[in-house]
């Protein structure tokens, strides 16, 4: 809402937004990453080529492409895609940064602590996908009970109808 108007529900992508609480891998991480070598030179590489031990530069307004340790730079980071917390958090060298976090200020140098295919946001997204695609045992039981219940109701109703037709 706004100015006392009716509430319109949670923003798109927020928890409670019609089962779309998690954004996709593509929305949270850049396709290209700036990898920095030991001499300070850099090159653009596909995000999928980032490996454990690579150093990547994250510019202001950019998303952290992989879980890692902040080596250089400090300032605010928006981790809401991971934690759900709407307030930015201060990060300093030595702190952990999570893939998908938004770098709000200053340039960062991040030492990748995992392979790009094993980031925390990817693991969460896979667990959510697995949970959404599986059936709970209670759901299977409810389906079986409902199937029997419908047959019993139809049988009772047809007998009642037959009895009414005879009288």
């Amino acid at each position: 809402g706004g100015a006392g108007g009716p509430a319109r529900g949670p923003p798109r992508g927020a928890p409670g937004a019609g089962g779309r609480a998690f954004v996709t891998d593509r929305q949270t991480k850049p396709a290209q990453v700036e990898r920095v070598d030991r001499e300070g030179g850099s090159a653009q590489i596909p995000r999928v080529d980032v490996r454990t031990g690579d150093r990547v530069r994250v510019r202001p307004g950019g998303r952290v492409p992989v879980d890692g340790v902040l080596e250089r730079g400090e300032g605010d980071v928006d981790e809401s895609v991971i934690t759900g917390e709407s307030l930015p958090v201060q990060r300093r060298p030595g702190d952990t940064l999570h893939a998908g976090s938004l770098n709000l200020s200053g340039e960062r140098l991040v030492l990748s602590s995992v392979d790009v295919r094993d980031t925390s946001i990817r693991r969460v997204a896979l667990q959510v996908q697995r949970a959404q695609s599986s059936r709970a045992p209670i759901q299977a039981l409810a389906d079986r009970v409902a199937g029997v219940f419908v047959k019993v109701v139809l049988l009772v109703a047809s007998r009642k109808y037959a009895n009414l037709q005879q009288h």
Side-chain angles (χ1 to χ4, degrees), residues 15 77-89 91 101 104:
V77 177
D78 176 355
E79 297 179 341
S80 61
V81 72
I82 299 290
T83 65
E85 173 60 53
S86 62
L87 297 176
V89 292
R91 293 291 179 227
S101 298
L104 298 175

Side-chain angles (χ1 to χ4, degrees), residues 39-112:
E39 293 77 42
S42 66
Q44 292 288 323
I45 64 166
R47 178 182 54 84
V48 296
D49 290 344
V50 175
R51 300 291 177 250
T52 302
D54 283 350
R55 286 175 173 76
V56 295
R57 180 173 290 134
V58 184
R59 300 192 184 274
R63 294 226 176 244
V64 176
V66 66
D67 293 345
V69 176
L70 182 58
E71 281 197 336
R72 191 175 68 225
E74 65 179 67
D76 292 336
V77 177
D78 176 355
E79 297 179 341
S80 61
V81 72
I82 299 290
T83 65
E85 173 60 53
S86 62
L87 297 176
V89 292
Q90 178 78 14
R91 293 291 179 227
R92 292 183 172 80
D95 289 347
T96 298
L97 291 178
H98 296 284
S101 298
L102 182 62
N103 180 19
L104 298 175
S105 60
E107 187 174 283
R108 308 276 194 280
L109 189 61
V110 179
L111 176 63
S112 173

Side-chain angles (χ1 to χ4, degrees), residues 148-163:
V148 171
F149 179 75
V150 167
K151 290 174 187 169
V152 168
V153 168
L154 289 174
L155 181 65
V156 169
S158 64
R159 287 199 173 162
K160 185 69 170 170
Y161 179 76
N163 285 341

